[in-house]
Amino acid sequence: MSPLPNFPSLTPDERVWRLDWFGECAYPGSVRRYAQPSIKVAISPLRCEPNDAEALLQPGGTDHMHQREVWAPVAVLPLLAIGDLWQGGRLIASPSYHAETFRSVQIVPGTTSFVKAGLAVDEKFLIPLHAHPWHRLHTQAYCVAVSLGGGCRLLIPCVEIIRFYFGSSSNLLQRLFSMPLNAEALWSSKSFDSGSRHMHLVLAPGISGASASDVGRMAGDRLAWRSAAGIHISCQKAAASGQVAYPYTGFPFEGETNLAVTGVWLPFGDEPRATFLAYQLRSCSHAFPFRSLSYETSRRNAQGARRPESSRNATGVRHVSEISLRTKTVDDDPSARKSQHSGGFPTKRRFPDLLRKPVWKEKIESLASAEVFLIRSNGSIEQVAFGEPDGSSDAAGIDLATQPEAGPPMHKKPPLPHFVRKTLARIRRETTANGKKDRTIRVIDPKERAVPVFSLAVAVDEDGEVLPELLFSDEAGRVRQRRACFAEVIECGVALRQLAIIEERNAQSAALVVQVREPSIHQLTQSLLKHLSMIVSAVEKDNGRL
């Protein structure tokens, strides 16, 4: 197995233990130690060899009569799955058991329903204890039953649905369990182009880029939003009525899908293979509500210790193998005085639809340094320095994030930033509407560089104050240089004119498009600095000429 973080409190001794089932959820105050919600985990010691998957499916494969229960913080759910084998607080195997792929499954209200693990239909149990005794302490736990036709059904524990569809990172899961769902907890800015079906997200502080696709699904599909919201609602509803809080929620979509699962076939009455109990979901083919997705992340520095200057250039995400071999997790809450580590752990590709759809991070910080110019009161311009501000942020705890296994190598140029793609689409629509369908537009490199997108200059006045006209401010209040690129309009193979596309000042304004004589950063910079007041009014008018 690939190195993963230790979870010493899961296993009580050095025997091999199997994770049998998930129980109820508890909130701070009812379970000591944790300031976040916790979930009960049922485990039992093995009686067979760890590599004997068939024996593991037999009731005698583990000593289920001496099953134990352990409280685990919900943030560790990305690491936990029914059927996995643990020893000494470390995951040692994830057996495949019976693997099935159910194709063209209909996920609609008429074919799916919530059932409890101990439900009997016509005096026949869906999960009979003689064939599957490992859920016996939690017969009130919820599952989703999916009709497969021909008298067969698929049963999926609701915690597995939550883990699979929303378990891309610890921080995301913790928020879904801890609070009523609100957009501010997931993203600070969202935009969607209905023509290209491109979505752009600025993720909320603390949300990992590994969760961008999951958040994009919630942002673009009301059913996904309802499914995510149902996690906290179901637990709070039970707690308010004095009942045990077994979390439940349904699929984050409706429609057809192919589901790859591992688990066990169970009898139903006289039928030996009527119910497939899924231990783990492995793949779901249903489409995401976007054609492409770009995102930005913003790591907060909330009361945590600042990262040492020497680590500023280090990668923002430490692979879990770097920390797991020398660090144990502790059975306690993460310290608010410590900076948060992000640990990635390898997973199979869960969603084939994303193999066909580009998802990328907008790497603002990778742009080259911007020039700095002094604008004197008499109108003269003087270049004074080079440099672009660099920042850092910290959070507390450890955020476990999935790292899907590497796919085939992609020999493509990095995708263009969102403001460029959006503006190109707008220009193309305007050109078509004007009846000039033979015209095309393409991005070109500036004369000075071999990459198309560049930072604009920083302008300061004689008092040293940075002038805002060439700065971008996002909804979270972060400020940086605006960016730009060049494009040319072509008709019948002939370049008609060249344009500069300049990023908007904020999410409420539009990008500026100006005609230029040539794709020169130097000439564009001089023109912009001489016409700062025009830049503001031009952006507000959604167009301009220099």
Side-chain angles (χ1 to χ4, degrees), residues 189-209:
S189 176
K190 177 189 75 170
S191 63
F192 182 74
D193 188 293
S194 57
S196 66
R197 297 192 59 78
H198 174 78
M199 180 181 290
H200 180 73
L201 294 171
V202 178
L203 298 175
I207 296 297
S208 166

Side-chain angles (χ1 to χ4, degrees), residues 182-481:
N182 64 87
E184 291 75 16
L186 303 178
W187 66 81
S188 58
S189 176
K190 177 189 75 170
S191 63
F192 182 74
D193 188 293
S194 57
S196 66
R197 297 192 59 78
H198 174 78
M199 180 181 290
H200 180 73
L201 294 171
V202 178
L203 298 175
I207 296 297
S208 166
S211 293
S213 298
D214 292 348
V215 174
R217 194 205 295 263
M218 288 182 266
D221 189 333
R222 62 176 181 83
L223 296 174
W225 181 270
R226 184 178 68 184
S227 174
I231 299 170
H232 182 263
I233 291 173
S234 65
C235 293
Q236 290 303 302
K237 182 178 178 181
S241 61
Q243 299 176 347
V244 176
Y246 286 105
Y248 66 90
T249 196
F251 286 90
F253 59 85
E254 286 184 0
E256 186 174 282
T257 187
N258 299 329
L259 291 174
V261 298
T262 63
V264 58
W265 279 103
L266 298 174
F268 181 67
D270 296 331
E271 294 294 328
R273 288 166 57 93
T275 301
F276 190 89
L277 176 61
Y279 288 165
Q280 298 181 36
L281 288 165
R282 293 295 177 90
S283 174
C284 174
S285 67
H286 193 81
F288 280 70
F290 49 78
R291 190 172 295 158
S292 60
L293 172 69
S294 59
Y295 66 91
E296 299 173 49
T297 58
S298 54
R299 306 291 290 186
R300 65 167 173 249
N301 182 26
Q303 301 178 359
R306 292 190 62 84
R307 192 173 295 156
E309 290 296 314
S310 60
S311 66
R312 176 176 295 177
N313 294 326
T315 178
V317 177
R318 298 174 61 191
H319 193 279
V320 72
S321 60
E322 298 176 26
I323 60 174
S324 62
L325 296 181
R326 61 177 183 269
T327 303
K328 289 184 177 181
T329 60
V330 295
D331 191 17
D332 207 342
D333 292 307
S335 171
R337 300 185 302 275
K338 302 285 187 177
S339 60
Q340 184 182 41
H341 299 299
S342 294
F345 58 96
T347 62
K348 298 291 184 181
R349 293 280 179 178
R350 298 179 298 158
F351 305 114
D353 184 58
L354 294 180
L355 294 175
R356 302 184 293 270
K357 295 179 176 179
V359 176
W360 67 89
K361 180 178 181 180
E362 294 274 3
K363 297 200 175 187
I364 308 292
E365 68 277 7
S366 65
L367 291 172
S369 299
E371 298 173 328
V372 180
F373 288 85
L374 170 65
I375 300 181
R376 300 190 181 276
S377 56
N378 61 7
S380 62
I381 301 171
E382 177 184 351
Q383 185 172 340
V384 293
F386 293 91
E388 189 166 7
D390 188 12
S392 61
S393 61
D394 298 289
I398 177 170
D399 183 21
L400 299 170
T402 57
Q403 288 186 341
E405 61 185 4
M410 303 288 287
H411 301 289
K412 295 181 180 179
K413 292 183 178 180
L416 294 169
H418 178 59
F419 81 92
V420 179
R421 299 189 307 275
K422 184 177 180 180
T423 306
L424 291 177
R426 188 188 79 204
I427 295 173
R428 292 185 181 112
R429 287 196 300 269
E430 293 173 351
T431 301
T432 301
N434 292 331
K436 300 174 181 177
K437 298 182 179 180
D438 294 333
R439 290 188 179 181
T440 59
I441 183 169
R442 68 175 184 180
V443 173
I444 58 176
D445 293 340
K447 292 173 59 178
E448 297 92 337
R449 295 183 184 174
V451 292
V453 181
F454 52 91
S455 294
L456 295 181
V458 176
V460 298
D461 61 20
E462 289 181 309
D463 295 325
E465 295 292 328
V466 177
L467 301 179
E469 287 83 357
L470 298 182
L471 298 179
F472 174 87
S473 178
D474 66 16
E475 294 183 357
R478 297 173 299 174
V479 177
R480 57 168 171 78
Q481 280 80 24

Side-chain angles (χ1 to χ4, degrees), residues 108-157:
V108 294
T111 63
T112 61
S113 60
F114 290 113
V115 299
K116 292 190 175 182
L119 179 68
V121 178
D122 298 329
E123 299 183 351
K124 295 176 289 188
F125 289 99
L126 295 181
I127 311 178
L129 285 171
H130 73 270
H132 189 279
W134 298 286
H135 69 293
R136 63 185 178 85
L137 299 180
H138 298 285
T139 56
Q140 298 300 300
Y142 287 95
C143 299
V144 171
V146 183
S147 174
L148 299 175
C152 294
R153 67 181 61 83
L154 171 65
L155 279 187
I156 309 172

